[in-house]
Amino acid sequence: MTVVGASLAGVYAARELRAQGFDGRLVVVGDEPHRPYDRPPLSKDFLTGRSTEASLALTDPGETAALGADWVLGVRARGLDARGRGVLLGDGRTVRTDGVVIATGASARRLPGDALAGVHALRTLDDARALRDELAEGPRRVVVVGGGFVGAETASSCASLGHHVTVVEAAPLPLAAQLGPEMAAVCAALHERGGVRLLTGTGVARLHAVTGAVTGVELSDGRVLPADTVVVGIGAVPGTAWLDGSALALRDGVLCDDGCVTALPQVVAVGDVARVGGTRAEHWTSATEQPRVAVRNLLAGRTVESVRSVPYFWSDQYGARIQFAGRRPDGGTVHVTEGSLTDGGPAGSGFLAEYRRDGRTTAVLSVDRPRSFVRARRELARTAGETRAAVV
């Protein structure tokens, strides 16, 4: 078996292959030279220096030995043969295999013309190293383009290090698509509490530079923001380019059924690259929960189980922990069930909110109410399971 992708989803897939009884040759291919590491801390504790590279490791030497895998690191996959029985590598080799787990994740979306000194993405360990080193040079004017979770976390980290930070978000409110306008407004207020300037409803027209280094960000409304450092956090592109020309269906990810199985039964996809049952979720929990089902179906040679987990994500910003589980319904309502909207963030005690439609709770959101959130999430999973059972 071959796992293409040596990050979180790939590691979990390798673990599942062994846990579910596969004792043959296991190859793990990764385009980065590093051993598998956890990405969420890159924009938080690693960027601020509170954690080290060693603490990011997803496997220790004992587990690595126990997996008994051949690790092919620092080499990109460049193709999948027509029958899905061979993975073509960038160094000219071909890995022959009985099954493939695609776990190639996603790469940071870039701005046109952003190949300038001082302009950073934050997706990989090398990205985080470069940004951390630059921030350590002294106070800087930092412009973060994109107010999503990575952008907000990076802005929070930069502000905590004493830099002057501005966040630019093209939408009227950051995170409105995920949280809805009312809750997004509450989370947007965290920027102000953290001393960060938030500019919404405007995009980036171009970057200004002198001798190859960024000096400013020109907005679509004509304003120019002085900048020593620019961090681009405008989303990610699923890692499917190497699959062009294969038999797999690609549309903003690898198209899979509800069990992570692709058009080829001996090929499954998991994590950020996988569009499972019509949805592609770039969250830690998807990368850790999908592999169990995907591997079971891969070993069975057909779909015998579907992914049934309730979506969940979290974000740490400005001393506040935001947690969300479920699916925000179109046309639903949101109700604060504990605390108050004015209590969010480090200055307050937080709140818990429920999203409802037709009398049923479909999602829960909390800011700094972790215990209440755990209970609400557990209840949400229970009722979701009952609903699925009733439908079946």
Side-chain angles (χ1 to χ4, degrees):
M1 294 289 182
T2 302
V3 178
V4 186
S7 193
L8 185 68
V11 168
Y12 270 73
R15 289 171 177 166
E16 286 293 339
L17 280 163
R18 293 308 192 203
Q20 295 187 36
F22 176 72
D23 59 2
R25 185 190 182 207
L26 174 58
V27 180
V28 182
V29 179
D31 61 352
E32 294 185 59
H34 315 293
R35 284 285 177 173
Y37 60 89
D38 203 16
R39 296 183 191 274
L42 295 180
S43 58
K44 300 185 279 287
D45 287 352
F46 182 79
L47 194 60
T48 58
R50 292 193 297 269
S51 67
T52 64
E53 291 187 19
S55 68
L56 301 177
L58 288 173
T59 59
D60 58 36
E63 182 186 16
T64 299
L67 284 174
D70 296 333
W71 296 86
V72 182
L73 301 178
V75 179
R76 289 184 177 274
R78 65 175 179 85
L80 183 71
D81 74 13
R83 297 180 298 118
R85 300 291 187 181
V87 177
L88 287 61
L89 303 183
D91 61 7
R93 289 180 288 171
T94 298
V95 179
R96 296 299 175 190
T97 187
D98 294 321
V100 177
V101 180
I102 298 171
T104 43
S107 59
R109 195 179 301 276
R110 309 295 304 218
L111 285 174
D114 67 357
L116 299 169
V119 180
H120 302 265
L122 189 52
R123 186 79 186 183
T124 68
L125 176 57
D126 289 339
D127 292 339
R129 282 174 175 170
L131 179 57
R132 187 172 71 170
D133 290 347
E134 186 171 303
L135 294 173
E137 295 174 2
R140 303 181 73 82
R141 298 166 297 180
V142 180
V143 175
V144 178
V145 182
F149 292 113
V150 171
E153 291 169 358
T154 303
S156 172
S157 295
C158 290
S160 73
L161 293 171
H163 301 286
H164 180 274
V165 185
T166 301
V167 174
V168 177
E169 169 59 48
L173 275 173
L175 304 177
Q178 294 88 349
L179 305 180
E182 185 177 4
M183 295 298 125
V186 175
C187 293
L190 293 174
H191 291 288
E192 182 179 356
R193 294 187 190 184
V196 170
R197 183 186 183 194
L198 174 63
L199 301 178
T200 61
T202 184
V204 173
R206 65 189 182 100
L207 301 177
H208 291 203
V210 173
T211 61
V214 69
T215 59
V217 178
E218 183 176 333
L219 304 181
S220 54
D221 59 14
R223 285 178 290 177
V224 177
L225 306 177
D228 307 302
T229 298
V230 174
V231 183
V232 181
I234 54 174
V237 180
T240 60
W242 68 284
L243 295 168
D244 288 345
S246 71
L248 303 184
L250 309 175
R251 189 169 65 249
D252 186 37
V254 179
L255 269 62
C256 308
D257 66 12
D258 290 341
C260 303
V261 178
T262 72
L264 298 172
Q266 70 275 14
V267 179
V268 297
V270 293
D272 292 359
V273 74
R275 181 166 288 277
V276 179
T279 301
R280 188 171 70 85
E282 295 180 12
H283 300 307
W284 192 91
T285 46
S286 299
T288 58
E289 292 176 353
Q290 291 172 357
R292 183 191 64 79
V293 174
V295 165
R296 184 182 179 200
N297 293 333
L298 178 64
L299 295 177
R302 59 188 179 88
T303 303
V304 296
E305 184 177 348
S306 298
V307 175
R308 297 299 190 188
S309 59
V310 174
Y312 165 67
F313 60 82
W314 79 93
S315 180
D316 296 318
Q317 306 171 20
Y318 307 105
R321 167 151 286 200
I322 301 168
Q323 295 173 282
F324 184 93
R327 295 176 174 84
R328 184 175 72 86
D330 292 333
T333 58
V334 60
H335 306 269
V336 175
T337 58
E338 289 186 20
S340 165
L341 294 185
T342 60
D343 287 341
S349 58
F351 66 88
L352 181 76
E354 296 182 357
Y355 295 79
R356 300 171 186 164
R357 183 172 182 181
D358 298 330
R360 186 171 65 90
T361 298
T362 65
V364 291
L365 166 72
S366 83
V367 176
D368 290 335
R369 289 286 176 109
R371 291 183 179 179
S372 298
F373 179 81
V374 168
R375 291 193 296 269
R377 182 187 177 195
R378 187 181 299 122
E379 177 63 17
L380 187 67
R382 185 188 66 79
T383 56
E386 290 177 352
T387 301
R388 285 193 295 267
V391 171
V392 173

